[in-house]
Amino acid sequence: MIILGIDTSCDDTSAGVVEGGCHVLSNVVQSQVRLHHPHGGVVPELASREHLRNIMPVVQESLSQAKVQMADLDGIAVTVGPGLVGSLLVGLYYAKGLTYVYDIPMAAINHLEGHILSIFLEEVAPPFPFVALTVSGGHTSLYHVEGYGRYALMGQSLDDAAGEAFDKVAKILGLGYPGGIAIEDSSRDGLKDRIKFPRAYLSSESLDFSFSGLKTAVSLYIKRWHNNQVEADNVTPSDIAASFQEAVIDVLVRKVLMAREKTGVSSVVVAGGVACNKRLRARLLEAASGEDVEVYYPRPEYCTDNGAMIAVAGYHRLSSGERAGLSMDVRSKFPIQDLTPL
Ligand code: KG4
Ligand code: ZN
């Protein structure tokens, strides 16, 4: 079964072709970073206009790289939420056009399910059940994954997503957008223990996250630092970046291990844009090795938003007989609990 996956949930126009739910034939992403860079974040109206310009060439390119034609496709999978409404609409209506004109079945995909299943694009994937942490600009959530389409939410961010905190702190530090990679790069020259920023573990049992307090603490520190009001001498922007990054990672690592212990599973998957962070990868691998836990990461291009991961989810939904009709609409909020179990 060959599936075309389309994702336009935020600021990347992406399309990928996947065979058999795991073999990537193509994965094309048209980034909008340059467009949004001067604004220090994604501007929704600009994003949807850019998707409109890019969707056709991106899908064409994904078919051409995969060496397939529309007639070779067995299905189209498209993200319908969560995400920016104007952006999602472009992908969904383009997919509707294709499904109608070429008479190919369509599946409506939850973006978070795409992130969870992105690990199946890799040659080595974990056995079920496993714990998945999806950590990106829009979400920070922990799931107990029992099978395809069977996800129990264990915890989630009560305020900012981890990636959002990276982006905001980078902006205050003047490191530019997108912030995650900028913070990671700057951190390499900094001392991670230089400033003790707060870690919000919430209650000892909680698997929820909260990053807004940390973001505020960093922002207040930077203000005092600009005014030469901090106690320590010669604190650099890299020290602040490294100390912030370590605070986020401490919380993520602790909660992933707690979720693992609670479920008793032996595999953990970390996906989403923040999973590209090399320090996070190293810290989690180190922590897990002491506990006999296998940690799985998709490669960076499957961590950030992409069409191939949507095609994986589409493969399983279409195989189980699920179909999305032409009246399907987008959903800015789409909790994973609302998904039809497979
Ligand atoms: O999954 P993604 O591409 O889009 C969303 O669904 O949000 O994730 C984008 C997020 C951004 O907040 C970006 O700053 C963050 O992932 N990110 C990183 C790194 N690379 C991307 N955060 C920390 N370290 C990185 N290396
Ligand atoms: Zn995403």
Side-chain angles (χ1 to χ4, degrees):
M1 220 168 150
I2 301 180
I3 309 291
L4 166 68
I6 297 175
D7 186 276
T8 59
S9 57
C10 189
D11 61 336
D12 290 325
T13 315
S14 44
V17 179
V18 176
E19 188 168 18
C22 56
H23 300 295
V24 181
L25 303 183
S26 69
N27 192 32
V28 177
V29 179
Q30 176 71 51
S31 163
Q32 298 185 6
V33 162
R34 266 205 235 130
L35 174 72
H36 300 290
H37 189 272
H39 306 280
V42 178
V43 183
E45 179 62 27
L46 294 181
S48 38
R49 284 166 195 254
E50 193 67 4
H51 283 307
L52 212 48
R53 269 188 283 272
N54 293 337
I55 186 77
M56 218 146 84
V58 165
V59 169
Q60 287 306 325
E61 181 62 20
S62 72
L63 296 174
S64 127
Q65 284 188 17
K67 298 190 174 55
V68 298
Q69 308 203 329
M70 283 306 300
D72 301 320
L73 296 179
D74 299 294
I76 298 171
V78 61
T79 302
V80 295
L84 300 172
V85 166
S87 294
L88 290 163
L89 280 170
V90 177
L92 175 61
Y93 277 78
Y94 189 68
K96 280 188 190 182
L98 294 178
T99 192
Y100 181 72
V101 170
Y102 294 97
D103 196 21
I104 299 168
M106 177 172 78
I109 302 302
N110 179 304
H111 183 76
L112 302 173
E113 180 174 46
H115 275 304
I116 294 171
L117 298 184
S118 61
I119 194 64
F120 293 98
L121 295 167
E122 296 294 354
E123 246 163 57
V124 184
F128 293 115
F130 57 82
V131 158
L133 170 72
T134 57
V135 64
S136 73
H139 19 84
T140 306
S141 318
L142 274 167
Y143 304 97
H144 182 197
V145 181
E146 291 166 277
Y148 296 111
R150 294 185 13 236
Y151 320 107
L153 181 68
M154 300 187 73
Q156 63 186 330
S157 179
L158 304 176
D159 40 57
D160 293 359
E164 201 178 342
F166 269 93
D167 292 336
K168 286 181 182 164
V169 167
K171 193 171 175 180
I172 307 171
L173 275 175
L175 296 175
Y177 167 85
I181 187 74
I183 294 267
E184 178 173 1
D185 287 346
S186 175
S187 294
R188 283 200 198 96
D189 305 319
L191 295 173
K192 60 180 171 35
D193 302 320
R194 195 76 211 270
I195 308 138
K196 196 78 191 153
F197 289 127
R199 273 79 170 148
Y201 292 112
L202 307 173
S203 75
S204 60
E205 290 287 291
S206 175
L207 291 174
D208 287 331
F209 302 90
S210 168
F211 293 107
S212 74
L214 169 63
K215 187 193 67 193
T216 307
V218 177
S219 151
L220 290 174
Y221 184 90
I222 293 172
K223 254 192 211 135
R224 288 198 289 119
W225 174 66
H226 278 312
N227 295 332
N228 295 317
Q229 288 170 338
V230 298
E231 301 80 45
D233 291 330
N234 306 322
V235 171
T236 65
S238 292
D239 292 335
I240 300 174
S243 302
F244 158 76
Q245 176 175 268
E246 208 65 12
V248 175
I249 292 175
D250 276 350
V251 174
L252 294 176
V253 169
R254 160 117 46 123
K255 303 247 170 185
V256 166
L257 293 183
M258 277 169 63
R260 207 287 312 164
E261 201 179 324
K262 200 166 174 176
T263 52
V265 300
S266 50
S267 315
V268 165
V269 169
V270 186
V274 181
C276 295
N277 188 286
K278 293 194 189 70
R279 176 81 189 146
L280 170 64
R281 289 180 176 231
R283 282 280 316 276
L284 204 51
L285 282 172
E286 185 192 322
S289 68
E291 303 216 0
D292 237 353
V293 179
E294 286 289 333
V295 186
Y296 296 78
Y297 294 101
R299 70 192 68 176
E301 59 262 45
Y302 300 154
C303 279
T304 46
D305 291 349
N306 66 89
M309 70 183 191
I310 302 304
V312 179
Y315 170 83
H316 294 285
R317 297 214 159 258
L318 290 164
S319 301
S320 76
E322 205 175 294
R323 299 285 182 270
L326 291 176
S327 60
M328 177 58 63
D329 209 349
V330 299
R331 303 172 65 167
S332 64
K333 291 197 168 42
F334 189 176
I336 208 143
Q337 302 93 295
D338 291 358
L339 270 179
T340 316
L342 293 179

